[in-house]
């Protein structure tokens, strides 16, 4: 009976000694292949035997039983910048999808990644997941003396410093590159630590490219390595033992020694790891190749798996990433895309039988199902995952008069972004309400848009979808909180600012002495019901279009109260700013200091979300001042596919009423008797 | 203790790359040694593995190795109606996600499910997946004599007939209910067949409710069962042995005997299975409970798992389905939602190392990457999964003058559906271009819409997203082919028909003698640039709105050619239909027989998709006839978030030009010299 391995063995029956005299090269190559095959077989055999040894003779699942239930697994990842932060999320999703153990991620980050990932994990609220951050700039001096040509830059070297960077009581850790996808439970990899014997302190997979053989091109001179060397995309680090044997001293000396010849590293830490291992091979426990299937170009990784189940960790270490040429790349792509687009909130599942904190669950249980606002309150308790600065964004120079346009949107308003960019050259802070799959669509859109690519002052903050109601005020707050300037223009995505509004507002901010007095500068709002509007170039043009019926004051037809207090009649002739009084249901678009009160997040879906904010500004004593030479125009759009309309509308109205009353009570509590006027106004409606 | 692998650690001592040049003899000897070592290792490995096969004493993982690589696994599912067809897809996705073996699904279906699933699997093109259909109506006589109160109706009883229904050479099969989700590789379940001993022919999990204990309420009298009885949501059927022992006779006699007391079954086939097992317990191999974790109300299933890894099959057998009360229901929901929204095209992955057909791949390889139309041609080769009649739809009574409105849309036009329903009471056939996740959103939307729920004459045909270009003509063809009436009105989703258009068209169909002469009846198209249009109630009202500038003839501002040949001036005063000539770029909205030529699917995205169709109608000799008392009006919408704009537009234009030329050539080939006029017209442009 043919054994499974036979079929797979290269040239099992092929003539080993060809008729014509073989060349030395031929033979060397064959020998090399045979030795490799040997190594692979010995590895497999070793595994099978060691499993048997431990009284468990099944092949690949057995490692599971080697990890204790609820044993904490530690993972370290170096991550810097906006793009790597996105990559880390996909890696983390693939780990969380398969995991059954509590995890502790140790993230070595620059300030950008720390802000993004700190916020993301705080809002993700995955049970049995701990996160620690380590400041990469603290580690820079450790490696900055090493010249490095690899695209990962100085961060590529930081894996060398982990014995020092990570807590001294952490005894072992799995170290991963950001371009890794897990196709299995990471506990299986963790279990391999127990197989380390003797001097073994590093678990590594052989390199699957010929780089270190030094024959890729003429005068190609790589750093020294054992054979093909090892890849450092996946490392098992036995930290305590590494500290004992003086790891830090070891790699430093190795690097210094080799740099005398090599001038710089080409593959960052990997060169140093390999040079060190070349002189001390006994430090390595060689991991089976499927723990780091390397999809570099010309990869030899195909020899590493004979079926899907063999794939455990995929490493997209080609600069071509998903477009790399590989026989099974389509298959690998499906694994990657699975996690790229996977709804991260589904990963909030608890580990059955492991301890976890259940704060949110308890809050949910306290809710009354009979309450008219049950759905509202339930959705408010939902924590929305937030991925700040989804795309690269430059830190703005400090400027005491600068102002950011703040808005929120979902996928159906994406086409407004380029338009707004054409009308507003200043900073923008946007909250985008997207599913994980839509976030990828948005990414492709933004990366393909010349207009958006030419801007570095836009913050795209993704809030992941959760529940059925549009969390409008949560979105506004995310965009508001993450604006970088002292002032914000609280707008909406369907409005186009007049040309020059950015400069105009900066001047008004100075003129109105905004730094000293709490003020809300009102930008009057208009609307058009037509596409193909010739956008007015001046207030004069706007007024004549208004007269001709090509424009209207905003919501004139449906809800005049919302903007009537702006006093459009006065505005027509105004040449200086003028103060107006608050009135019920007033909801103008305003410029305020960024430290203004936040929006009240109890208002979800539609209704009362801006009104309550303006009311609070008024309660806090903000002056409402209309700008005489500023305007925005609302562009038409088809009625939203508004998921909230599924709700029985009677219930909806009842609930908004309840929420309003609660808001009024809270306002009185905070602002005292001055806030009673809002309740009175409400009663006299 | 050092394991054999240690000695093999890279470069431990073996000088793989000797300093001096080795001789040929040296190398040959070494190679021989290495190859011998190789053979030895392979043998050892083979032995170890085969031992593992026989002495299987580990619990859950080892079952994998009991299934031969590429062994075909058979699964039978009974499925009837639109809603069950949707459920089956989620079940199938969960199986495909984990599977590593070729699969053969045996689907016992009514005509609705057979049409839907037949089309779905044909277009899904999953490698290593066979599908066979069995007509449920053929099996009805076998079970229709059994009175049954279960909601599954007669289909609930059909599992009893599988020994007869399935091919006589099929020796074993896994039988599944449609409300099942797999959380593991089905091969593990299949492997359990090998553990059957003695008289065992049925693999079943114990019931996890107290139903059969008969103590749920006063006078609750269930069918007889062993203890809690067994659940038939998951069954391992050893078909050949069942046939040998006369299964059919056995269950019939059992049913007849018990029905004398019981009058009817309450839980369909499950009652009969249990009554039979009660008298012949030796037939059962009891499966571990995690092979059918039953989420019914008051379930005892929690006793069945102590961690996530224990969950293998979840059975949503409560009428509350996802809303069932269970301690871990949130966890289970995540597993279910994972597959509900999973992109089915990612499941097209091949099984590494199992034979498969690669037609599509070869076609792809033949494409020229330098071709300006590479992207177009590549996307045309993509097979789009199609789920016909995603929502229930009634079969229409035959009517020789009936006409269906045909259109296609994506998510951003969903709000048009209710509007169209208000203007068109006749049948509608829609192709919806959606991702798997969007299809679920659409489902929630449609099920919550009173307007849509009140209609039974709308076919919603979901075409799943694939690639970057909108496959407009593929969508039109799906909607066209699946219309049920002899005539179709080929419209677009942004148009609202005049009130009464449906009746009016039916009259015109008779008057114009459409059954006898090939004709395309043109419905003149208008447009409004404003929301909040008061829709004209008559042609007279329309004309006066046209005069007032509230309406325009369609695309008057941007592309007059498209509709100019309709001759709007003549139409204003026409009281009878009139014939018009074809002219270049004419693209009117027409009523034709359903057996008209299909749209040319080479046109993707935007450009020439309707023009080419009208040209072919003309080539085929269709008379173009304008209806004097019919009209449609285009509603405004924001510019589409059109993914095709990512394409370099120059390339895009070049390619559309190439495709046009190819289309012209094909037209001449099919219609001869008569088609030369189109090329001439193109040249004179």
């Amino acid at each position: 009976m043919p054994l499974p391995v036979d079929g797979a063995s290269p040239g099992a029956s092929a003539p080993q000694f060809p008729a014509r005299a073989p060349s030395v090269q031929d033979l060397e190559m064959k020998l090399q292949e045979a030795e490799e095959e040997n190594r692979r077989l010995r590895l497999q055999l070793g595994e099978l035997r060691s499993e048997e040894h431990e009284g468990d003779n099944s092949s690949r699942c057995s490692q599971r039983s080697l990890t204790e239930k609820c044993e904490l697994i530690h993972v370290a990842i170096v991550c810097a910048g906006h793009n790597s932060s996105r990559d880390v999320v996909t890696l983390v999703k693939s780990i969380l999808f398969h995991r059954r153990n509590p995890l502790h991620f140790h993230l070595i980050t620059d300030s950008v990644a720390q802000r993004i990932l700190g916020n993301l994990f705080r809002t993700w609220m995955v049970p049995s997941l701990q996160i620690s951050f380590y400041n990469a700039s603290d580690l820079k001096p450790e490696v900055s003396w090493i010249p490095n040509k690899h695209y990962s830059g100085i961060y590529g070297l930081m894996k060398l410093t982990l014995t020092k960077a990570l807590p001294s009581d952490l005894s072992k850790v799995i170290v991963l590159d950001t371009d890794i996808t897990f196709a299995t439970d990471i506990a299986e990899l963790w279990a391999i630590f127990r197989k380390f014997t003797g001097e073994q302190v590093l678990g590594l997979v052989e390199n699957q490219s010929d780089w270190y053989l030094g024959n890729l091109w003429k005068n190609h001179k790589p750093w020294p390595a054992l054979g093909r060397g090892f890849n450092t995309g996946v490392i098992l680090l036995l930290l305590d033992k590494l500290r004992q044997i003086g790891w830090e001293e070891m790699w430093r000396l190795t690097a210094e020694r080799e740099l005398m010849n090599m001038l710089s590293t080409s593959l960052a830490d990997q060169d140093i790891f390999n040079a060190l291992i070349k002189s001390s091979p006994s430090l390595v426990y060689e991991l089976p190749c499927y723990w780091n299937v390397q999809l570099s170009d010309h990869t030899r990784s195909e020899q590493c798996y004979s079926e899907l189940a063999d794939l455990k960790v995929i490493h997209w270490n080609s600069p071509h990433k998903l477009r790399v040429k590989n026989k099974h790349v389509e298959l690998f792509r499906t694994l990657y895309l699975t996690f790229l687009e996977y709804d991260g909130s589904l990963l909030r599942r608890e580990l059955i039988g492991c301890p976890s904190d259940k704060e949110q669950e308890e809050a949910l249980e306290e809710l009354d199902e009979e309450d008219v606002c049950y759905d509202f309150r339930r959705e408010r308790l939902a924590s929305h995952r937030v991925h700040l600065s989804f795309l690269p964004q430059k830190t703005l120079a400090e400027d005491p008069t600068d102002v950011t346009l703040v808005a929120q949107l979902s996928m159906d308003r994406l086409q407004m972004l380029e338009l707004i960019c054409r009308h507003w050259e200043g900073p923008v802070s946007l909250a985008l309400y997207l599913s994980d799959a839509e976030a990828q669509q948005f990414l492709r859109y933004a990366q393909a848009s010349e207009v958006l690519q030419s801007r570095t002052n836009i913050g795209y903050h993704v809030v992941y979808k959760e529940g059925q109601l549009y969390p409008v005020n949560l979105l506004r707050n995310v965009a508001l909180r993450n604006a970088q300037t002292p002032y914000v223009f609280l707008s909406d995505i369907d409005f186009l600012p007049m040309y020059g509004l950015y400069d105009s507002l900066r001047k008004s901010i100075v003129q109105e002495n905004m730094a000293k007095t709490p003020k809300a500068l009102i930008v009057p709002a208009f609307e058009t019901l037509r596409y193909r509007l010739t956008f007015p170039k001046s207030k004069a043009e706007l007024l004549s279009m208004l007269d001709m019926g090509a424009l209207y004051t905003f919501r004139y037809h449906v809800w005049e109260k919302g903007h009537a207090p702006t006093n459009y009649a006065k505005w027509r002739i105004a040449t200086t700013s003028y103060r107006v009084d608050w009135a019920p249901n007033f909801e103008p678009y305003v410029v305020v200091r960024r430290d203004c009160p936040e929006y009240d997040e109890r208002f979800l879906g539609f209704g009362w979300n801006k009104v309550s904010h303006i009311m609070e500004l008024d309660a806090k004593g903000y002056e409402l001042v209309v700008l005489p030479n500023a305007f925005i125009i609302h562009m038409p759009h088809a009625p939203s596919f508004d998921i909230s309309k599924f709700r029985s509308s009677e219930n909806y109205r009842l609930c908004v009423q309840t929420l309003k009353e609660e808001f009024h009570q809270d306002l009185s509590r905070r602002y005292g008797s001055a806030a009673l006027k809002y309740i009175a106004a409400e009663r006299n409606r």
Side-chain angles (χ1 to χ4, degrees), chain A residues 408-576:
Chain A
Q408 34 75 36
L409 67 156
S410 52
M411 210 61 186
D412 57 343
R413 292 292 187 277
L414 223 46
Q415 73 282 354
M416 285 302 294
L417 295 184
E418 292 192 352
L419 286 173
I420 289 175
C421 284
R422 293 201 176 97
H423 285 247
W424 175 273
E425 60 276 26
V428 181
S429 180
L430 298 169
L432 296 105
Y433 193 55
L434 305 173
S435 70
D436 291 72
E438 286 170 344
Q440 295 307 315
Q441 252 183 287
F442 161 68
L443 186 64
R444 286 195 295 271
Y445 173 80
Q447 287 175 339
S449 157
E450 277 177 39
V451 177
L452 302 186
Q453 283 299 297
S454 69
R455 297 283 289 256
T456 58
N457 61 353
I458 305 182
Y460 301 96
H461 310 299
V462 175
V463 176
Y464 287 101
K465 281 186 183 171
E466 195 87 42
Q468 305 296 309
L469 295 166
Y470 188 76
V472 57
N473 279 358
L474 172 94
L475 294 169
R476 289 205 175 101
N477 285 338
V478 167
L480 167 59
R481 270 198 298 270
N482 292 287
Q484 295 183 33
T485 57
Y487 298 94
V488 286
F489 171 36
L490 305 174
S491 187
D492 259 346
I493 197 70
D494 297 318
F495 283 93
L496 290 185
M498 68 173 200
Y499 294 109
L501 184 63
Y502 175 56
D503 283 337
S504 163
L505 290 183
R506 294 177 63 149
K507 283 186 196 124
S508 300
I509 284 164
V510 177
Q511 279 163 9
E512 298 289 337
N513 200 11
M514 294 279 283
K516 297 285 156 57
T517 34
K519 275 189 187 173
L521 307 183
I522 294 171
V523 180
F526 298 85
E527 75 178 332
T528 171
L529 300 181
R530 306 188 189 176
Y531 290 103
R532 305 193 199 108
L533 176 80
T534 314
F535 201 92
K537 302 243 171 341
S538 62
K539 180 171 176 179
E541 259 187 61
L542 174 103
L543 291 177
S544 82
M545 288 172 79
L546 208 56
D547 292 338
M548 291 176 356
L551 290 177
Y552 301 95
T553 60
F554 183 52
R555 310 195 83 196
Y556 176 77
H557 298 84
V558 284
W559 183 242
E560 225 192 316
K561 283 179 183 175
H563 293 264
T566 297
N567 197 345
Y568 288 99
K570 185 167 183 179
W571 186 80
R572 288 186 79 103
I573 48 168
T575 54
T576 54

Side-chain angles (χ1 to χ4, degrees), chain A residues 137-168:
Chain A
S137 15
D138 297 347
L139 299 171
K140 276 189 185 168
E142 309 281 327
V143 287
S144 56
W145 57 276
I146 307 170
N148 174 27
K149 292 190 295 198
H150 193 247
Y151 64 83
S152 57
I154 191 164
Y155 300 101
L157 293 162
M158 289 200 179
K159 277 180 274 178
L160 291 164
T161 71
L162 291 175
T163 46
K164 197 165 174 183
L166 298 177
S168 57

Side-chain angles (χ1 to χ4, degrees), chain A residues 78-85 88 108-113 136 152 155 178:
Chain A
V78 180
C79 174
H82 297 87
N83 296 331
S84 286
S85 296
V88 162
I108 296 88
T109 48
D110 66 350
S111 61
V112 167
S152 57
Y155 300 101
T178 56

Side-chain angles (χ1 to χ4, degrees), chain A residues 162-381:
Chain A
L162 291 175
T163 46
K164 197 165 174 183
L166 298 177
S168 57
D169 60 347
L170 189 63
S171 64
K172 51 189 181 177
V173 70
I174 295 172
V175 188
L176 301 173
D177 277 358
T178 56
D179 52 356
I180 292 267
T181 307
F182 267 74
T184 194
D185 185 354
I186 196 169
E188 289 182 44
L189 181 57
W190 184 254
I192 296 181
F193 271 120
R194 308 206 179 179
K195 298 190 180 177
F196 281 29
T197 53
E199 296 173 24
Q200 292 168 345
V201 283
L202 302 169
L204 287 163
V205 170
E206 191 194 21
N207 240 327
Q208 286 158 17
S209 87
D210 288 348
W211 174 273
Y212 285 109
L213 297 181
N215 54 11
L216 289 188
W217 55 81
K218 223 182 140 184
N219 298 327
H220 169 219
K221 199 182 152 224
W223 279 50
L226 277 182
R228 290 206 154 70
F230 294 92
N231 184 285
T232 56
V234 176
I235 318 176
L236 264 55
L237 276 190
L238 201 53
L239 291 170
D240 47 7
K241 231 167 157 183
L242 280 164
R243 292 189 195 102
Q244 282 166 29
I245 62 171
W247 168 254
E248 220 186 304
E249 189 74 359
M250 283 170 79
W251 72 257
R252 271 176 200 282
L253 289 174
T254 306
E256 279 165 15
R257 185 185 68 223
E258 297 301 331
L259 280 169
M260 287 190 279
N261 293 320
M262 299 301 299
L263 304 174
S264 76
T265 60
S266 296
L267 302 183
D269 66 302
Q270 193 164 296
D271 285 337
I272 299 172
F273 269 100
N274 274 297
L276 190 153
I277 289 165
K278 172 112 187 179
S279 32
S280 311
S282 59
L283 300 184
V284 175
Y285 177 93
E286 187 176 345
L287 298 173
C289 62
Y290 46 68
W291 284 111
N292 182 347
V293 176
Q294 299 148 42
L295 294 188
S296 43
D297 291 339
H298 318 291
T299 177
R300 301 162 49 84
S301 60
E302 279 164 36
Q303 297 170 13
C304 170
Y305 48 87
S306 66
E307 62 167 310
L308 187 56
D310 294 336
L311 292 171
K312 291 180 183 291
V313 170
I314 296 164
H315 187 177
W316 301 91
N317 60 336
S318 154
H320 304 115
K321 301 295 175 193
L322 286 192
R323 283 180 311 259
V324 69
K325 303 229 170 186
N326 177 289
K327 200 170 149 195
H328 299 111
V329 71
E330 282 300 322
L331 176 67
F332 296 135
R333 269 168 38 81
T334 66
L335 291 177
Y336 177 76
L337 292 176
T338 293
F339 300 112
L340 193 68
E341 309 203 333
Y342 192 75
D343 178 353
S345 67
L346 297 181
L347 295 166
R348 285 176 173 150
R349 52 194 180 204
E350 264 175 70
L351 301 182
I352 304 177
C354 297
S356 77
D357 33 41
K358 304 202 171 189
E359 269 175 55
Q360 203 214 358
E361 241 172 72
E362 280 163 20
L364 273 177
E365 276 166 23
E366 279 170 21
L367 290 183
D368 174 8
E369 289 195 35
E370 302 302 309
D371 181 353
V372 284
C373 286
Y374 176 74
D375 288 338
F376 272 67
R377 299 192 205 276
R378 197 189 146 86
E379 300 221 346
R380 255 208 81 193
L381 287 173

